[in-house]
Every structure is written in C-alpha cells, then in structure tokens.
Amino acid sequence: MIFRVMLLFVVCGLIWFVYTQWVIHNKSSGRELSHADVGIVLGAVLWDNKPSPALVERLDHALSLYQAGHFDTFIVTGGLDHPSLQLTEAQGMAAYLIERGVPSEHILLENQATSTYENLLFSREIMEDHSYKSAVIITHRYHGARSLEIANFLGYQSPVVSTTESKVLNMAWHQMRESLAYTKWKLDQLWITIGMKG
C-alpha cells in the first residue's frame, strides 16, 4: 500500500513537472507587442553594485525596445539583494540605463520588491500613481510565463511580456528551478485568492 502511494506521488510529480516545463516553454508573451506606456524591467542580482551579466541581458533587451519606440518610460524593479550592497537592484539598473543615454526622468524606480509577485504588484502601484495604463514586462524567456500569469492575476490591462534568451545562464538549471518557482506561485495564488496571504 505504501509503495503504491509513493508510486502515485512520483507519477503525479513527474506529470506536474512536464506540465510546468510545457508552460514555461509555450506561454510567455501575451498579446502582440505594440506601444505601451511603460516598460517594466524585472530585477535580478547585482554583482558588486552593478547589474550581473544576466541582468544586463534584460536591460539590453529593454533598451532595444525603448529605442524602437515600444515604450517611453522605464520602471526598474527590485530591492536590496544583501545588506552589504550599497544599491538596490532598481538603482543598479537605473545607473546602467543612464550610462547608456536614457534620461533619468524616463526612469521610475521600485526599490522594495523581493519576488516577481512583488515586482509586479509594486510596479502596478507606480503605474496607478502616474495614470499609466499599459505595460510591456521585460525578462528572460524561461521566466516569461510566470510573469505573465502574475500580471494577469494582478489586473494588468492586456499585459505583454517581451523576453530575451540567455547566453550567460545555465539554462538547464534555471528551467528546472523555474518549475519549482512556478509551483510556489500557484500555491501563493491559491492562498491569496482564499484570503490566507496578502
């Protein structure tokens, strides 16, 4: 009996893993990219108070969209990775963009978020404060599906996620890790929906 229960648990786990990988690879964009009020760049770790190579990939992709006229204002979002750092993720991203010619008045900073859910929750609050309606959310492809689901859950108006592939990350590891992150998100979504989590 115990063996059957364990076998059922393993089979269900494998099915769920395959499903999450299908979601990660096939649901990552939303509607077609056009012009949006803001481009939200989801944060990632800083190295020595500068964007890590993976975060640079997101920022460079965001820059290309900005220069192509897909949005006029950046929201860079991410809090303090570690007490030893001097800058939040958002501050590090803003400095990178300013160094590449983006006027500081075109960049809004969200300095508190510690998760993708908070990135998008707090960025939505900034949008509301500035009467912005539409957003393109910028991240890596493996992270796009979860970002889009969270944006829809938070009531973003027809959100678009624009993703870039990574040449610097270990994608096998990050895609497997994203299955766990997606699972955690679905549990958090349930708790928030039934009022057990804020």
Side-chain angles (χ1 to χ4, degrees), residues 70-108:
H70 288 294
F71 59 88
D72 302 316
T73 300
F74 289 86
I75 296 177
V76 288
T77 171
L80 196 65
D81 287 323
H82 191 274
S84 65
L85 294 177
Q86 298 172 336
L87 302 178
T88 65
E89 291 175 0
Q91 290 169 328
M93 289 191 282
Y96 182 91
L97 293 170
I98 291 168
E99 286 173 2
R100 281 148 187 82
V102 179
S104 59
E105 60 266 26
H106 290 192
I107 306 171
L108 300 172

Side-chain angles (χ1 to χ4, degrees), residues 39-52:
I40 300 173
V41 189
L42 300 183
V45 67
L46 300 182
W47 289 4
D48 193 25
N49 293 297
K50 294 184 181 295
S52 63

Side-chain angles (χ1 to χ4, degrees), residues 8 48 53 60 69 102 136-137 148 156 186 197:
L8 179 62
D48 193 25
D60 286 346
V102 179
V136 53
I137 299 160
L148 181 60
Y156 277 71
K186 298 308 287 184
K197 185 172 183 179

Side-chain angles (χ1 to χ4, degrees), residues 1-13:
M1 180 63 180
I2 294 176
F3 174 77
R4 289 181 179 178
V5 171
M6 291 177 62
L7 181 61
L8 179 62
F9 182 79
V10 169
V11 170
C12 289

Side-chain angles (χ1 to χ4, degrees), residues 32-181:
E32 185 177 348
L33 180 64
S34 57
H35 184 271
D37 294 329
V38 296
I40 300 173
V41 189
L42 300 183
V45 67
L46 300 182
W47 289 4
D48 193 25
N49 293 297
K50 294 184 181 295
S52 63
L55 185 51
V56 165
E57 290 179 324
R58 294 184 186 182
L59 289 164
D60 286 346
H61 182 55
L63 268 172
S64 69
L65 296 177
Y66 171 77
Q67 291 163 352
H70 288 294
F71 59 88
D72 302 316
T73 300
F74 289 86
I75 296 177
V76 288
T77 171
L80 196 65
D81 287 323
H82 191 274
S84 65
L85 294 177
Q86 298 172 336
L87 302 178
T88 65
E89 291 175 0
Q91 290 169 328
M93 289 191 282
Y96 182 91
L97 293 170
I98 291 168
E99 286 173 2
R100 281 148 187 82
V102 179
S104 59
E105 60 266 26
H106 290 192
I107 306 171
L108 300 172
L109 281 71
E110 184 292 299
N111 288 304
Q112 302 301 319
T114 59
S115 66
T116 303
Y117 178 78
E118 290 184 351
N119 288 145
L120 293 168
L121 176 65
F122 299 155
S123 293
R124 186 194 66 183
E125 293 172 358
I126 292 173
M127 289 178 64
E128 291 171 351
D129 289 343
H130 290 80
S131 299
Y132 292 137
K133 302 297 183 185
S134 57
V136 53
I137 299 160
I138 296 135
T139 189
H140 282 100
R141 185 170 184 265
Y142 76 89
H143 187 221
R146 179 161 55 98
S147 302
L148 181 60
E149 280 202 17
I150 293 171
N152 281 313
F153 179 77
L154 287 171
Y156 277 71
Q157 181 177 300
S158 301
V160 176
V161 176
S162 183
T163 63
T164 184
E165 299 289 353
S166 181
K167 297 179 180 178
V168 300
L169 294 172
N170 180 336
M171 289 313 303
W173 161 251
H174 279 276
Q175 286 171 354
M176 288 183 65
R177 181 176 176 274
E178 184 62 15
S179 283
L180 296 176

Side-chain angles (χ1 to χ4, degrees), residues 187-198:
L187 290 171
D188 286 345
Q189 182 182 19
L190 174 62
W191 304 142
I192 293 166
T193 299
I194 63 178
M196 294 184 64
K197 185 172 183 179

